[in-house]
Amino acid sequence: MLELVTQTAVCHGSIEGESEPIKLFERTAKAVHIYLLPHPGLINDPLSVLALRVDQTCVADRMRKACHLRLVKPYMVAVRSNNVSAVNEAFNEIYVEEEDYDRLCDSIDLHDNIERIGLALKVEKHDLLEMRRIAAYIYKKAGSWKQSIALSRKDNLYEVAMETCFQSGDSDSCRSCLFISLIRERRNALVDASLFVMN
């Protein structure tokens, strides 16, 4: 049983089965904070056991505010299959901080319950080209064709911009993108033009 001694001291023990402290954990905002203070390394134990009873959004938001997202990563992995927006966004935040663009892209594809445009705005000004490519990809998935094309052009990714133009179905954007590609990238202009004509 988990026993609360004071607001700053917690005895870590078995919390399986029926016990009174479970009622306290349903009010996760306070309970997570109380447990986090004395035993931050053990926070995943009660969260894993109570995963179905705690408010996952509240836990993710509380850990974000306390700058402990990485600390509860094992818990978040266990509940990620629920596709909760706050948990998905917490993972995406970790991937952006770690500059892990492969996992970020996979996360965007597999877990769709996120604020896409907010994430795109966050990574479109990132130093890494791959992160900016992910921003263009997010805009494309959201149907914001012009923003995706503009971002690809800005990074001189004319082939990606041409593919996005074609997928948008906007022939004016395709012509404009082809024209800019011809002017700026003479060596690859014929390849882009042939891709456009073939499609």
Side-chain angles (χ1 to χ4, degrees), residues 5-143:
V5 178
T6 67
Q7 283 208 339
T8 58
V10 178
C11 294
H12 180 73
S14 173
I15 59 172
E16 296 175 1
E18 301 270 338
S19 65
E20 289 299 315
I22 288 177
K23 292 180 183 174
L24 179 65
F25 267 91
E26 290 175 353
R27 294 177 274 153
T28 56
K30 188 174 182 180
V32 168
H33 180 69
I34 289 171
Y35 204 90
L36 187 62
L37 291 175
H39 302 292
L42 301 174
I43 190 74
N44 286 302
D45 294 342
L47 287 176
S48 296
V49 171
L50 300 172
L52 298 176
R53 296 185 187 196
V54 296
D55 182 2
Q56 297 163 7
T57 301
C58 186
V59 171
D61 290 342
R62 189 65 140 164
M63 291 297 110
R64 180 180 289 113
K65 287 177 188 173
C67 298
H68 290 303
L69 281 177
R70 289 191 179 124
L71 188 65
V72 293
K73 197 173 178 180
Y75 159 75
M76 290 193 307
V77 167
V79 298
R80 185 114 195 244
S81 61
N82 297 337
N83 203 19
V84 175
S85 177
V87 174
N88 295 338
E89 289 176 9
F91 267 103
N92 293 341
E93 189 175 317
I94 290 170
Y95 297 148
V96 169
E97 285 176 15
E98 293 174 350
E99 297 181 341
D100 191 347
Y101 47 84
D102 290 329
R103 285 190 180 172
L104 180 60
C105 193
D106 291 342
S107 174
I108 292 165
D109 287 336
L110 296 174
H111 304 283
D112 60 346
N113 191 7
I114 58 171
E115 175 56 42
R116 291 180 190 269
I117 302 301
L119 179 60
L121 288 170
K122 187 175 184 178
V123 296
E124 77 177 20
K125 294 179 176 98
H126 201 279
D127 293 337
L128 286 177
L129 174 64
E130 289 300 321
M131 288 295 195
R132 295 191 305 270
R133 287 182 82 169
I134 289 174
Y137 175 68
I138 293 170
Y139 285 132
K140 183 170 78 170
K141 283 187 81 163

Side-chain angles (χ1 to χ4, degrees), residues 162-176:
M162 286 295 296
E163 288 174 8
T164 304
C165 285
F166 179 74
Q167 290 174 355
S168 74
D170 184 4
S171 59
D172 291 336
S173 293
C174 290
R175 283 189 204 100
S176 172

